[in-house]
Amino acid sequence: MHGAAPERLAEIERLAFLEHGRAGLRLRDEGPLADLSFAVKDLFDVAGYRSSWGNPDQLRDGDVAVATAPAVLAPLMAGARMAGKTATDELACGMFGMNPHFGIPINPAAPDRAPGGSSSGSASAVAAGLADFGLGTDTGGSIRVPASFCGLYGLRTTHGRVSVAGVMPMAPSFDTVGWLTRDIATMRRVTEVYFGPIAAAPSPRLMIARDAFDIPELAIGAALLPIARSLGAASEITLYPDGVGAVLDIFRPLQLHDLYATLGGWATRPGRRLSQAVGERIALASRTDPALVAAAMPRREALTQRLVDLLGDDGILVIPTAHDLPPLRDAPVSAQVEFREKTLALTCVASLTRLPQIAIPATVIDGCPVGLSLVAGPRGEARLLAFAEALGNLLADRPRP
């Protein structure tokens, strides 16, 4: 996208960055990231800025931040320049980047399709070369899905490993901070600012979740499974022994209850302006059965223990990132809901188990990027990065379907 016409690039920039957070910011001229710029999803507090959370009422009524979120301070103190705050799905309640209040950021890799959300603006800016990396959040796939849609690397970090202070909470038992980059070398540099040096690692014990490759649309699964098998010697395992529905039945009540407990009071205030999709989501969350929430908690812990034991301290699980190509920009809300449920079957696994996952660009189908994902045990980001680095650029070495 670097060779895009100036008017096209200007349009991408206009929709990715937000007017209330467009001024650049630099705190240090030196540091390991001094040659890089970054975009910040508009859920993160930056001192002197307002955060809209993707909603016009919050932009109008919210306080100007008095302190900068630690997750943003880390790259600033490493010398990186903040290029501006970027668009997000309203209240981070979305997988597509479709915000009727502020517009839909452009997917530079597939301009007629959605960029993915809810870290949509950050993904758009990075894919277009308007920033070297983008900060976002990931609750149910909000880093991983836009990475897949836009042909980027996207890292969801271990839950609780990066501070979420000064970040709008959406579903706190799932919310994580993560980042998006165009290449694995930049991903390593950014990750080392948060976690320290990433040492060389022995070849991991690879496991392909064979049943996970039956979830995507046929062309996607057929393209991704041979790629997964080409990554190295791997065993093939069953990720969903009780079926996909059993995992979604754990995720749905817990995530919806988190959402309503955290934002329900704000969202249902009289006169509040919410988009159709978010209004329906809040209403659904308000009706979550407490018995289902209570029953899901121990089931979540059992699933977590199973995966932690399976991965150990040397394992990597390989799964598809999303179930289909990005939906068209004008897809109706009904189509978005159906898409979200199918892709959640893939993304909810790391979300439920609080594990780190990296999405990597793997192939291109019908002109659209398609991502493959790697999952490691708790605090296994270094293992994921080292292996992804060893793989190199999959797109450069692989014929495109």
Side-chain angles (χ1 to χ4, degrees), residues 103-160:
I104 306 171
I106 293 169
N107 179 345
D112 60 334
R113 294 179 179 265
S118 59
S119 304
S120 54
S122 292
S124 176
V126 172
L130 297 169
D132 296 301
F133 63 98
L135 292 188
T137 58
D138 188 306
T139 299
S142 291
I143 287 278
R144 295 162 284 167
V145 171
S148 183
F149 286 3
C150 295
L152 300 171
Y153 291 85
L155 178 66
R156 171 195 164 88
T157 59
T158 302
H159 184 265

Side-chain angles (χ1 to χ4, degrees), residues 284-299:
L284 178 65
S286 73
R287 300 191 295 270
T288 306
D289 185 344
L292 294 179
V293 176
M297 292 170 70
R299 294 175 66 198

Side-chain angles (χ1 to χ4, degrees), residues 28-89:
R28 295 187 64 197
D29 294 328
E30 297 179 349
L33 302 183
D35 59 327
L36 302 182
S37 64
F38 69 105
V40 178
K41 184 177 184 177
D42 198 30
L43 304 185
F44 292 81
D45 281 351
V46 177
Y49 290 75
R50 278 191 170 85
S51 293
S52 73
W53 308 348
N55 178 274
D57 293 354
Q58 173 62 22
L59 177 59
R60 181 194 63 211
D61 302 332
D63 294 330
V64 173
V66 298
T68 298
V72 180
L73 276 178
L76 283 172
M77 296 309 294
R81 178 182 64 85
M82 190 186 96
K85 301 193 80 177
T86 49
T88 175
D89 289 62

